[in-house]
Amino acid sequence: MLASKDPNLHYTFLACLLAIDVKLWAGVDEAIPAQLQENEVHRIMSFLDGSDMTIRRMTIQLLHRVEPAILEAWFTQFIESAPSPTSTTLATCEVYASRALEVSTVLDAENGEAFASRLKVVLQAVQVPHKDESGRDSPARGRVHGEGSGGSVGAVLESVVEPVLDRLRGSTDEFRKTFVEKTLQDLQESFTGVEAPVPTATVICAAVACEYSQLVTLPPITMAEGLANCLLTSPVGVQEALLVALTRAVAMFGDESSPTAVVTRVEKLVKQSRKHMRHRCDQFLRLVKDKAMLRTVVQNAKSQTVRHLLMFDQVSTKALPSI
């Protein structure tokens, strides 16, 4: 069955092994010898590089049951072989990152902090190629740019963002809490104005700040300043997500707290942006001046996701005076 090229036979073989206690065939019990030959083990390992997602995920589950260290070693080797941004495409990066994420999801199934740390490793290793305004690939990362400013445009790996957010939504509060705290801590420490943020990581930070900020012990002002530090070095689409997340974070400020540093960053963004982003910045700045309306926007949104906060924000701020 393993020698066959038929994926249905591979599926059947893996399903049978998953149904049997690993002690009976994997050689993990000294009293029971391994039932697979070396070439058969290599064949199973090769499924990790296959195009069939179901077969890959079954293989990951199987190897994890036998010995998690096998997957750890594979993950390390996989990350070390990540393609150079000068010789790859966005599509290749999407595939590469999503496959690393499949293994991460199993290795760190119960540990949100470890999952966040491994996700950071993946996003730093998979360097997404950029496009300059002529459409040519550019390996440059993290240049300060705005809409049409001439800088390189960073891409967001959608194959990473949605699975990560889905993973969190299906997790326990403890997993979410440790993941979000680690993610926002990394944002504060590493992705500031000194080192430009990885766009995919920044989008995830914005999303979790919106959805799970109530779970973390990080002060809202610290969270908001970390997000604001990414504004000037992020692509336009990411800037918009950050502004929505900042709306959520600033709404959590106590009456004695002032978002002065955040406002300063947004005002700088206004100066380097075009019409759409200037409008979004104007909305945010008006909301910050009207805390009652700000809290109404956050509380009355259909959900605390970036999408629903953005939709309600756009409707609600139409009634506010211009600044």
Side-chain angles (χ1 to χ4, degrees):
M1 296 176 79
L2 280 177
S4 171
K5 294 183 179 180
D6 184 352
N8 293 320
L9 292 179
H10 298 161
Y11 177 93
T12 302
F13 183 86
L14 293 171
C16 290
L17 287 185
L18 285 167
I20 302 171
D21 191 325
V22 294
K23 293 179 181 179
L24 299 177
W25 62 268
V28 297
D29 188 329
E30 292 182 0
I32 304 175
Q35 302 301 304
L36 296 179
Q37 301 298 318
E38 184 177 352
N39 66 314
E40 293 174 318
V41 174
H42 286 314
R43 179 60 171 154
I44 291 173
M45 290 293 297
S46 73
F47 292 157
L48 291 173
D49 299 316
S51 59
D52 189 308
M53 182 179 67
T54 301
I55 298 296
R56 284 199 312 274
R57 292 185 174 180
M58 292 176 74
T59 303
I60 292 168
Q61 291 288 350
L62 184 68
L63 294 173
H64 189 258
R65 288 187 188 181
V66 174
E67 176 52 69
I70 298 174
L71 282 183
E72 288 281 6
W74 182 91
F75 179 86
T76 299
Q77 184 177 15
F78 190 73
I79 290 300
E80 289 175 350
S81 64
S84 164
T86 59
S87 61
T88 190
T89 64
L90 176 59
T92 298
C93 288
E94 292 273 12
V95 171
Y96 217 89
S98 64
R99 292 191 181 181
L101 192 62
E102 288 173 352
V103 174
S104 304
T105 300
V106 174
L107 283 173
D108 306 312
E110 306 298 328
N111 190 328
E113 182 177 356
F115 184 56
S117 295
R118 201 182 299 271
L119 176 62
K120 181 179 177 181
V121 169
V122 172
L123 294 179
Q124 288 180 331
V126 182
Q127 298 192 29
V128 181
H130 290 239
K131 299 284 186 180
D132 60 25
E133 292 207 342
S134 66
R136 295 175 299 182
D137 286 331
S138 168
R141 307 183 61 159
R143 296 178 181 172
V144 176
H145 58 280
E147 288 180 277
S149 64
S152 57
V153 179
V156 173
L157 296 172
E158 298 294 341
S159 63
V160 172
V161 175
E162 283 306 317
V164 167
L165 297 181
D166 287 343
R167 172 78 179 87
L168 290 174
R169 289 165 189 151
S171 300
T172 63
D173 279 350
E174 180 60 24
F175 185 97
R176 293 170 184 161
K177 178 179 181 294
T178 54
F179 176 90
V180 174
E181 286 185 339
K182 175 61 175 170
T183 301
L184 294 177
Q185 179 185 342
D186 286 343
L187 178 76
Q188 184 71 10
E189 293 177 355
S190 302
F191 299 145
T192 65
V194 177
E195 179 183 345
V198 178
T200 304
T202 310
V203 168
I204 291 172
C205 285
V208 299
C210 284
E211 296 188 48
Y212 305 115
S213 55
Q214 76 280 2
L215 296 178
V216 302
T217 56
L218 195 68
I221 191 166
T222 303
M223 185 191 314
E225 289 177 357
L227 293 166
N229 280 337
C230 299
L231 276 172
L232 301 180
T233 53
S234 292
V236 174
V238 178
Q239 289 171 344
E240 190 160 12
L242 284 168
L243 284 174
V244 177
L246 284 168
T247 301
R248 176 74 171 93
V250 174
M252 296 173 63
F253 280 24
D255 291 334
E256 71 284 356
S257 300
S258 174
T260 304
V262 174
V263 168
T264 299
R265 287 277 181 175
V266 175
E267 288 174 342
K268 286 183 180 179
L269 181 59
V270 172
K271 295 177 182 178
Q272 71 173 48
S273 299
R274 291 187 178 176
K275 183 177 180 180
H276 175 71
M277 278 309 302
R278 287 202 304 270
H279 173 65
R280 295 295 296 130
C281 291
D282 176 66
Q283 287 179 316
F284 174 80
L285 293 171
R286 282 183 286 158
L287 281 172
V288 168
K289 289 191 173 185
D290 188 334
K291 285 194 174 180
M293 175 61 79
L294 175 63
R295 288 170 182 151
T296 297
V297 166
V298 171
Q299 292 169 3
N300 292 349
K302 184 178 179 181
S303 77
Q304 295 303 299
T305 62
V306 168
R307 182 168 65 91
H308 286 141
L309 281 172
L310 175 59
M311 289 169 59
F312 193 80
D313 186 6
Q314 288 174 328
V315 173
S316 301
T317 51
K318 289 180 180 178
L320 288 170
S322 252
I323 57 174

